Amino acid sequence: MRWIWIDRFVKFERGKSARAVKKLSLAEDYFQQHMPGYPIMPACFILEGLAQTGGILVGEANDFKEKVVLAKITSAKFHREAVAGETLLYDTEIVTLRPEGASIVGKVYTLAPGQSIGEPVNPPMAEAEIFFAHLDKSRSQQLFGDLNFVFSGELKHLLGLAKVAAQRTDGAT
Amino acid sequence: MPTQAEIFKKVSATLVEALNVDHEEIQPTSTLQGDLGAESIDFLDIVFRLEREFGIKIPRNELFPESIFQGDPEFVLNGKVTEKGLKELREKMPFADIGKFERNPDMTAISDLFTVDMIAKYIEGKLGSKA
Protein backbone atom coordinates (compact mmCIF):
# COMPACT_ATOMS: atom_id res chain seq x y z
CA MET A 1 0.00 0.00 0.00
CA ARG A 2 1.31 3.43 -0.83
CA TRP A 3 1.36 6.31 1.60
CA ILE A 4 -1.17 8.46 -0.20
CA TRP A 5 -4.21 9.29 1.84
CA ILE A 6 -6.09 11.49 -0.60
CA ASP A 7 -7.41 10.56 -4.03
CA ARG A 8 -7.62 13.92 -5.69
CA PHE A 9 -7.73 17.66 -5.14
CA VAL A 10 -11.05 19.18 -6.14
CA LYS A 11 -10.36 22.77 -5.15
CA PHE A 12 -7.11 24.63 -4.69
CA GLU A 13 -6.52 28.28 -3.96
CA ARG A 14 -2.81 29.02 -3.74
CA GLY A 15 -1.66 30.05 -0.27
CA LYS A 16 -5.20 30.01 1.08
CA SER A 17 -7.25 26.83 0.99
CA ALA A 18 -7.53 23.38 -0.53
CA ARG A 19 -10.11 20.65 -0.68
CA ALA A 20 -9.32 17.01 -1.43
CA VAL A 21 -11.47 13.95 -1.73
CA LYS A 22 -10.86 10.43 -0.44
CA LYS A 23 -13.11 7.50 -1.20
CA LEU A 24 -13.02 4.69 1.32
CA SER A 25 -12.93 1.30 -0.36
CA LEU A 26 -13.60 -1.85 1.60
CA ALA A 27 -10.67 -3.37 -0.33
CA GLU A 28 -8.20 -1.17 1.56
CA ASP A 29 -6.00 -3.36 3.76
CA TYR A 30 -6.55 -1.64 7.08
CA PHE A 31 -10.30 -2.34 7.03
CA GLN A 32 -9.55 -6.04 7.52
CA GLN A 33 -8.18 -5.42 10.99
CA HIS A 34 -9.89 -2.20 11.90
CA MET A 35 -12.24 -3.55 13.00
CA PRO A 36 -13.02 -7.18 12.05
CA GLY A 37 -16.66 -7.14 10.97
CA TYR A 38 -16.92 -3.40 11.53
CA PRO A 39 -14.81 -1.56 8.95
CA ILE A 40 -14.05 1.96 10.22
CA MET A 41 -11.18 4.14 9.12
CA PRO A 42 -8.55 4.62 11.86
CA ALA A 43 -8.66 8.20 13.10
CA CYS A 44 -4.91 8.62 12.58
CA PHE A 45 -5.36 7.94 8.83
CA ILE A 46 -8.10 10.58 8.66
CA LEU A 47 -5.62 12.99 10.21
CA GLU A 48 -2.95 11.90 7.74
CA GLY A 49 -5.29 12.72 4.84
CA LEU A 50 -6.00 16.11 6.32
CA ALA A 51 -2.28 16.69 6.88
CA GLN A 52 -1.44 15.69 3.30
CA THR A 53 -4.07 18.07 1.96
CA GLY A 54 -2.80 20.90 4.17
CA GLY A 55 0.86 20.00 3.70
CA ILE A 56 0.64 20.20 -0.08
CA LEU A 57 -1.23 23.49 0.25
CA VAL A 58 1.61 24.84 2.40
CA GLY A 59 4.34 23.38 0.18
CA GLU A 60 2.85 24.75 -3.02
CA ALA A 61 2.66 28.24 -1.50
CA ASN A 62 6.49 28.26 -1.64
CA ASP A 63 6.72 26.41 -4.96
CA PHE A 64 7.71 23.20 -3.12
CA LYS A 65 11.07 24.70 -2.20
CA GLU A 66 10.63 24.07 1.53
CA LYS A 67 10.70 20.71 3.23
CA VAL A 68 7.35 20.81 4.97
CA VAL A 69 7.06 18.40 7.88
CA LEU A 70 4.19 17.79 10.23
CA ALA A 71 5.37 19.17 13.55
CA LYS A 72 2.36 19.12 15.81
CA ILE A 73 -1.34 18.40 15.90
CA THR A 74 -2.49 21.07 18.28
CA SER A 75 -6.03 19.79 18.49
CA ALA A 76 -8.14 17.10 16.88
CA LYS A 77 -11.78 16.22 17.41
CA PHE A 78 -13.63 13.27 15.97
CA HIS A 79 -17.39 13.56 16.04
CA ARG A 80 -18.17 10.22 14.46
CA GLU A 81 -16.60 7.30 12.63
CA ALA A 82 -15.91 7.02 8.91
CA VAL A 83 -17.01 3.70 7.47
CA ALA A 84 -16.07 1.80 4.30
CA GLY A 85 -18.02 3.05 1.29
CA GLU A 86 -18.10 6.67 2.39
CA THR A 87 -16.46 9.60 0.62
CA LEU A 88 -14.47 12.05 2.72
CA LEU A 89 -13.88 15.69 1.88
CA TYR A 90 -10.79 17.25 3.43
CA ASP A 91 -11.12 21.01 3.74
CA THR A 92 -8.02 22.91 4.80
CA GLU A 93 -7.25 26.56 5.25
CA ILE A 94 -3.95 28.28 6.00
CA VAL A 95 -4.04 30.27 9.23
CA THR A 96 -0.40 31.34 9.36
CA LEU A 97 2.35 31.06 6.78
CA ARG A 98 5.85 32.19 7.69
CA PRO A 99 9.41 31.33 6.65
CA GLU A 100 9.74 29.00 9.65
CA GLY A 101 6.51 27.08 9.09
CA ALA A 102 2.75 27.24 8.84
CA SER A 103 -0.43 26.32 10.63
CA ILE A 104 -3.68 25.18 9.10
CA VAL A 105 -7.19 24.40 10.26
CA GLY A 106 -8.94 21.47 8.68
CA LYS A 107 -12.39 19.96 8.64
CA VAL A 108 -13.41 16.56 7.37
CA TYR A 109 -16.85 16.06 5.88
CA THR A 110 -18.63 13.05 4.45
CA LEU A 111 -20.80 13.28 1.40
CA ALA A 112 -24.50 12.79 1.97
CA PRO A 113 -26.00 9.81 0.06
CA GLY A 114 -26.40 10.76 -3.58
CA GLN A 115 -24.47 14.03 -3.17
CA SER A 116 -21.87 14.78 -5.81
CA ILE A 117 -18.60 16.40 -4.83
CA GLY A 118 -19.28 20.03 -4.09
CA GLU A 119 -19.94 22.11 -1.01
CA PRO A 120 -20.29 19.97 2.12
CA VAL A 121 -23.80 19.81 3.54
CA ASN A 122 -23.30 17.64 6.62
CA PRO A 123 -21.64 18.92 9.79
CA PRO A 124 -17.92 17.97 9.91
CA MET A 125 -17.18 14.48 11.15
CA ALA A 126 -13.72 15.57 12.33
CA GLU A 127 -11.72 18.76 12.71
CA ALA A 128 -8.12 19.52 13.57
CA GLU A 129 -5.49 22.19 13.80
CA ILE A 130 -2.16 21.15 12.34
CA PHE A 131 1.19 22.80 12.58
CA PHE A 132 3.92 22.33 9.95
CA ALA A 133 7.57 23.28 10.23
CA HIS A 134 9.90 24.08 7.38
CA LEU A 135 13.02 22.06 8.04
CA ASP A 136 15.92 24.28 8.91
CA LYS A 137 17.62 25.03 5.60
CA SER A 138 21.25 24.74 6.67
CA ARG A 139 20.70 21.61 8.76
CA SER A 140 18.58 19.78 6.22
CA GLN A 141 21.07 20.69 3.48
CA GLN A 142 23.75 18.80 5.43
CA LEU A 143 21.51 15.77 5.90
CA PHE A 144 19.60 15.58 2.64
CA GLY A 145 21.35 17.87 0.17
CA ASP A 146 19.08 19.52 -2.36
CA LEU A 147 16.65 16.62 -2.50
CA ASN A 148 13.23 17.58 -1.23
CA PHE A 149 12.23 14.18 0.13
CA VAL A 150 8.81 15.50 1.17
CA PHE A 151 7.68 16.53 -2.28
CA SER A 152 9.85 14.28 -4.41
CA GLY A 153 7.12 12.23 -6.03
CA GLU A 154 3.55 11.23 -5.53
CA LEU A 155 2.45 14.00 -3.23
CA LYS A 156 3.49 16.62 -5.76
CA HIS A 157 1.91 14.73 -8.65
CA LEU A 158 -1.49 14.95 -6.99
CA LEU A 159 -1.83 18.54 -8.11
CA GLY A 160 -1.09 17.56 -11.71
CA LEU A 161 -3.74 14.86 -11.43
CA ALA A 162 -6.26 17.46 -10.26
CA LYS A 163 -5.47 19.61 -13.29
CA VAL A 164 -6.05 16.71 -15.68
CA ALA A 165 -9.39 15.93 -14.01
CA ALA A 166 -10.42 19.59 -14.17
CA GLN A 167 -9.60 19.77 -17.88
CA ARG A 168 -11.71 16.71 -18.54
CA THR A 169 -14.64 18.28 -16.69
CA ASP A 170 -14.20 21.49 -18.67
CA GLY A 171 -14.10 19.53 -21.89
CA ALA A 172 -17.33 17.74 -21.05
CA THR A 173 -19.33 20.90 -20.38
CA MET B 1 -3.15 49.92 24.64
CA PRO B 2 -4.39 46.99 26.75
CA THR B 3 -3.55 46.90 30.46
CA GLN B 4 -0.96 44.53 31.90
CA ALA B 5 -3.77 42.35 33.29
CA GLU B 6 -5.44 42.15 29.88
CA ILE B 7 -2.16 41.21 28.22
CA PHE B 8 -1.49 38.51 30.82
CA LYS B 9 -4.99 37.11 30.35
CA LYS B 10 -4.52 36.88 26.58
CA VAL B 11 -1.04 35.38 26.91
CA SER B 12 -2.46 32.77 29.32
CA ALA B 13 -5.27 31.92 26.90
CA THR B 14 -2.70 31.53 24.11
CA LEU B 15 -0.63 29.13 26.20
CA VAL B 16 -3.70 27.11 27.17
CA GLU B 17 -4.38 26.56 23.46
CA ALA B 18 -0.80 25.97 22.36
CA LEU B 19 0.33 23.74 25.21
CA ASN B 20 -2.97 22.11 26.15
CA VAL B 21 -2.61 23.06 29.82
CA ASP B 22 -5.23 24.25 32.31
CA HIS B 23 -5.66 27.93 33.10
CA GLU B 24 -4.94 27.21 36.77
CA GLU B 25 -1.47 25.89 35.90
CA ILE B 26 -0.40 29.21 34.44
CA GLN B 27 1.27 31.60 36.85
CA PRO B 28 3.45 34.60 35.95
CA THR B 29 6.52 32.72 37.17
CA SER B 30 5.67 29.42 35.39
CA THR B 31 8.51 28.34 33.14
CA LEU B 32 7.41 27.25 29.67
CA GLN B 33 9.51 24.12 29.51
CA GLY B 34 9.86 23.08 33.15
CA ASP B 35 6.39 23.89 34.46
CA LEU B 36 4.20 23.89 31.36
CA GLY B 37 5.93 21.14 29.39
CA ALA B 38 6.64 23.12 26.22
CA GLU B 39 8.81 21.44 23.60
CA SER B 40 10.93 23.20 21.02
CA ILE B 41 8.25 23.13 18.30
CA ASP B 42 5.75 24.69 20.72
CA PHE B 43 7.78 27.90 20.77
CA LEU B 44 7.06 28.48 17.10
CA ASP B 45 3.39 27.69 17.64
CA ILE B 46 3.27 30.20 20.53
CA VAL B 47 4.86 32.87 18.34
CA PHE B 48 2.28 32.30 15.58
CA ARG B 49 -0.58 32.55 18.06
CA LEU B 50 0.75 35.66 19.78
CA GLU B 51 1.07 37.40 16.42
CA ARG B 52 -2.56 36.65 15.62
CA GLU B 53 -3.84 37.45 19.09
CA PHE B 54 -2.10 40.80 19.43
CA GLY B 55 -1.80 41.80 15.77
CA ILE B 56 1.98 42.19 16.00
CA LYS B 57 4.99 40.89 14.09
CA ILE B 58 7.50 38.86 16.05
CA PRO B 59 10.76 38.56 14.09
CA ARG B 60 12.54 35.23 14.22
CA ASN B 61 14.77 34.81 17.29
CA GLU B 62 13.48 37.93 19.00
CA LEU B 63 11.18 36.48 21.66
CA PHE B 64 12.77 33.04 21.89
CA PRO B 65 16.38 33.35 20.68
CA GLU B 66 17.78 30.03 19.52
CA SER B 67 21.27 29.19 20.72
CA ILE B 68 21.99 32.68 22.00
CA PHE B 69 25.66 32.02 22.57
CA GLN B 70 26.45 29.76 19.61
CA GLY B 71 28.94 27.86 21.78
CA ASP B 72 31.15 30.95 22.02
CA PRO B 73 33.69 30.43 24.88
CA GLU B 74 33.62 34.14 25.63
CA PHE B 75 29.98 33.77 26.61
CA VAL B 76 30.00 30.34 28.22
CA LEU B 77 32.87 28.86 30.22
CA ASN B 78 32.73 25.50 32.04
CA GLY B 79 28.97 25.38 31.73
CA LYS B 80 28.50 28.84 33.24
CA VAL B 81 27.50 32.00 31.42
CA THR B 82 30.28 34.57 31.72
CA GLU B 83 29.89 38.25 32.59
CA LYS B 84 30.07 39.05 28.89
CA GLY B 85 27.43 36.42 28.24
CA LEU B 86 25.13 37.94 30.81
CA LYS B 87 25.58 41.34 29.18
CA GLU B 88 24.65 39.80 25.83
CA LEU B 89 21.61 38.21 27.43
CA ARG B 90 20.47 41.53 28.87
CA GLU B 91 20.80 43.16 25.46
CA LYS B 92 19.06 40.43 23.49
CA MET B 93 16.35 39.73 26.03
CA PRO B 94 15.65 42.98 27.88
CA PHE B 95 12.17 41.67 28.68
CA ALA B 96 13.53 38.67 30.63
CA ASP B 97 14.08 38.74 34.37
CA ILE B 98 17.65 37.51 34.61
CA GLY B 99 18.15 38.53 38.28
CA LYS B 100 17.82 35.00 39.67
CA PHE B 101 19.79 33.48 36.81
CA GLU B 102 22.67 35.92 37.38
CA ARG B 103 23.23 34.54 40.86
CA ASN B 104 23.87 31.06 39.45
CA PRO B 105 24.32 31.41 35.69
CA ASP B 106 24.39 27.70 34.93
CA MET B 107 23.68 27.01 31.25
CA THR B 108 21.33 24.17 32.14
CA ALA B 109 19.03 26.68 33.86
CA ILE B 110 18.83 29.07 30.92
CA SER B 111 15.48 27.69 29.78
CA ASP B 112 14.02 28.91 33.09
CA LEU B 113 14.28 32.44 31.71
CA PHE B 114 11.37 31.63 29.41
CA THR B 115 8.44 32.33 31.70
CA VAL B 116 4.85 33.45 31.20
CA ASP B 117 5.77 36.82 32.65
CA MET B 118 8.63 37.16 30.16
CA ILE B 119 6.20 36.77 27.26
CA ALA B 120 3.80 39.29 28.82
CA LYS B 121 6.63 41.85 29.27
CA TYR B 122 7.75 41.31 25.68
CA ILE B 123 4.21 41.95 24.41
CA GLU B 124 3.90 45.05 26.60
CA GLY B 125 7.09 46.39 25.04
CA LYS B 126 5.88 45.58 21.54
CA LEU B 127 2.50 47.20 21.95
CA GLY B 128 4.05 50.22 23.65
CA SER B 129 6.49 50.78 20.84
CA LYS B 130 3.76 50.31 18.24
CA ALA B 131 1.69 53.23 19.57
Side-chain angles (χ1 to χ4, degrees), chain A residues 71-72 74 95-96 98 100-103 129 131-133 136 139, chain B residues 17-19 41-42 44-45 47-49 51-52 58-60 66:
Chain A
K72 171 178 167 182
T74 314
V95 180
T96 310
R98 291 193 13 152
E100 305 97 305
S103 65
E129 193 175 346
F131 190 82
F132 297 97
D136 181 87
R139 270 190 240 168
Chain B
E17 279 182 16
L19 303 177
I41 201 68
D42 293 320
L44 199 52
D45 187 13
V47 165
F48 281 16
R49 287 172 191 276
E51 286 194 336
R52 286 207 302 276
I58 302 177
R60 192 173 186 173
E66 296 163 26

